[in-house]
């Protein structure tokens, strides 16, 4: 009996030592991983800035693409990105928030709810090129929209809508149940609870998730390459049915060229794209802070 207790104490002592060693090593491993990630991103940013800062000017946005790198710009791609992403946001944000409200508050059929939630989570992880192929077969050829802005915008909207829905559903779940039950106890309808209790408190996280999803759509090249297939356009889009290109495709076009000048142009275009993404992320933070202040006040 004494030997058994002694062996048990030895085993526990060894486990405690192993746990202490693991507790000591874990912060170092995590810090090393963070350092590697930050150093990699910083080195990439430094490379892009060092290669493209000489080409940063308003002419990069105002001029059309050209075979001459000294006269080349990305005006058509910049405008195409604005058209496609803006229209996609107008489609996916209301649909995503409405779907999240239905799944979390209005759905009475638990089996349908589970089925939709399962499929939304799966769609959020589908590669973007798959959405491009679906958009090409259904929107471009099936509905006859052609390789137009509206086809690309709907493709981007379908791609980002699951992300918006998942983020909005998680935001709705953060609303305290006591507030909703208290409103129901006072005689409020479900629509009134949704309008005055749920949305004001969930909208900051909803908008943050929506803007981050739109930021992803700006940088997507695969679905637009499948839908549009155009890398060189020298005209401004004036209608949702015009053919178009986007900034990631223009960057791809310049990167694929062997001349050093086009490599510099691609680096400058990457900087512009990063600035757009940072602007959207800043807008997400500002929107969240503003609505949070309204709720707390």
């Amino acid at each position: 009996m004494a030997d058994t207790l002694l062996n048990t104490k030895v085993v526990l002592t060894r486990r405690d030592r192993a746990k202490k060693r693991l507790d000591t090593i874990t912060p170092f491993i995590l810090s090393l991983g963070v350092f590697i990630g930050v150093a990699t991103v910083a080195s990439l940013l430094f490379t892009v800035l060092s290669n493209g800062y000489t080409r940063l000017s308003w002419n990069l946005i105002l001029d059309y693409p050209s075979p001459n790198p000294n006269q080349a710009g990305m005006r058509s791609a910049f405008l195409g990105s604005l058209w496609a992403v803006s229209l996609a946001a107008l489609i996916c944000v209301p649909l995503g928030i409405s779907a999240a409200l239905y799944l979390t508050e209005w759905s009475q059929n638990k089996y349908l709810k589970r089925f939709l939630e399962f499929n939304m989570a799966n769609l959020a992880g589908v590669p973007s090129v798959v959405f491009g192929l679906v958009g090409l077969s259904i929107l471009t050829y099936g509905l006859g929209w052609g390789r137009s802005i509206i086809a690309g915008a709907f493709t981007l909207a379908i791609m980002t809508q699951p992300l918006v829905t998942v983020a909005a559903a998680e935001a709705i779940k953060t609303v305290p149940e006591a507030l909703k039950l208290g409103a129901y106890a006072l005689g409020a309808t479900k629509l009134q609870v949704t309008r005055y209790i749920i949305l004001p408190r969930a909208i900051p996280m909803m908008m943050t998730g929506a803007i981050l999803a739109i930021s992803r759509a700006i940088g997507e090249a695969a679905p637009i390459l499948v839908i549009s297939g155009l890398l060189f356009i020298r005209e401004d889009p004036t209608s949702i049915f015009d053919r178009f290109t986007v900034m990631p495709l223009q960057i791809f076009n310049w990167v694929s060229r062997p001349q050093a000048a086009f490599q510099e142009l691609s680096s400058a275009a990457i900087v512009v794209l990063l600035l757009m993404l940072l602007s959207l992320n800043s807008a997400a933070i500002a929107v969240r802070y503003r609505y949070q202040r309204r709720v707390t006040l």
Side-chain angles (χ1 to χ4, degrees):
M1 186 67 178
D3 294 338
T4 303
L5 293 175
L6 182 61
N7 293 332
T8 303
K9 290 181 180 179
V10 171
V11 172
L12 291 176
T13 303
R14 291 177 180 176
R15 289 180 179 177
D16 293 337
R17 290 177 181 175
K19 290 180 180 179
K20 289 182 180 180
R21 290 175 183 174
L22 184 61
D23 292 339
T24 305
I25 297 173
T26 299
F28 174 76
I29 296 175
L30 296 177
S31 301
L32 181 62
V34 172
F35 174 77
I36 293 173
V38 172
T40 302
V41 173
S43 63
L44 291 175
L45 289 176
F46 177 77
T47 303
V48 169
L49 289 173
S50 60
N51 291 337
Y53 78 95
T54 57
R55 297 282 180 173
L56 287 174
S57 66
W58 287 110
N59 293 330
L60 181 65
I61 299 176
L62 299 178
D63 293 342
Y64 292 103
S66 172
N68 184 357
N70 295 323
Q71 300 176 355
M74 58 175 185
R75 174 171 175 163
S76 56
F78 182 80
L79 293 177
S81 291
L82 289 181
W83 274 78
V85 174
S86 299
L87 186 56
L90 291 176
I91 297 169
C92 72
V93 174
L95 286 178
I97 294 177
S98 300
L101 287 171
Y102 174 78
L103 291 175
T104 55
E105 297 296 327
W106 293 78
S107 178
Q108 301 295 331
N109 190 331
K110 64 178 181 179
Y111 298 105
L112 178 62
K113 179 180 177 180
R114 291 178 182 176
F115 175 77
L116 293 176
E117 288 178 345
F118 177 77
N119 282 278
M120 281 292 176
N122 287 337
L123 286 174
V126 172
S128 58
V129 67
V130 176
F131 290 101
L133 295 173
V134 172
L136 180 67
S137 60
I138 297 177
L139 302 177
T140 301
Y141 296 126
L143 298 180
W145 288 355
R147 299 180 180 273
S148 59
I149 292 176
I150 189 171
F154 265 90
T155 302
L156 292 178
I158 295 170
M159 181 189 70
T160 55
Q161 193 262 338
L163 300 176
V164 177
T165 301
V166 171
E170 293 300 323
I172 293 171
K173 292 177 182 178
T174 61
V175 179
E177 283 291 327
L179 293 177
K180 294 185 285 186
L181 295 177
Y184 286 129
L186 293 174
T189 63
K190 182 169 289 189
L191 183 61
Q192 290 174 329
V193 171
T194 302
R195 169 65 179 84
Y196 296 103
I197 301 297
I198 297 175
L199 284 178
R201 287 160 178 80
I203 203 69
M205 289 183 63
M206 286 182 179
M207 296 307 298
T208 301
I211 293 176
L212 293 179
I214 295 168
S215 300
R216 177 195 171 186
I218 290 179
E220 287 291 347
I224 301 301
L225 180 61
V226 175
I227 294 293
S228 174
L230 298 176
L231 303 177
F232 188 86
I233 295 181
R234 288 183 57 85
E235 59 184 17
D236 296 341
T238 58
S239 170
I240 59 175
F241 296 101
D242 289 344
R243 304 189 76 182
F244 73 109
T245 188
V246 291
M247 293 174 62
L249 294 185
Q250 186 64 63
I251 294 171
F252 172 76
N253 185 18
W254 284 339
V255 168
S256 61
R257 300 195 177 206
Q259 296 91 336
F262 283 110
Q263 303 295 323
E264 295 174 357
L265 282 172
S266 64
S267 297
I270 291 172
V271 173
V272 175
L273 186 59
L274 288 175
L275 290 176
M276 291 181 64
L277 295 176
L278 290 175
S279 299
L280 283 175
N281 292 336
S282 301
I285 295 172
V287 168
R288 182 168 185 171
Y289 176 73
R290 181 178 179 181
Y291 278 98
Q292 280 181 340
R293 285 191 61 189
R294 286 187 177 182
V295 172
T296 53
L297 294 177

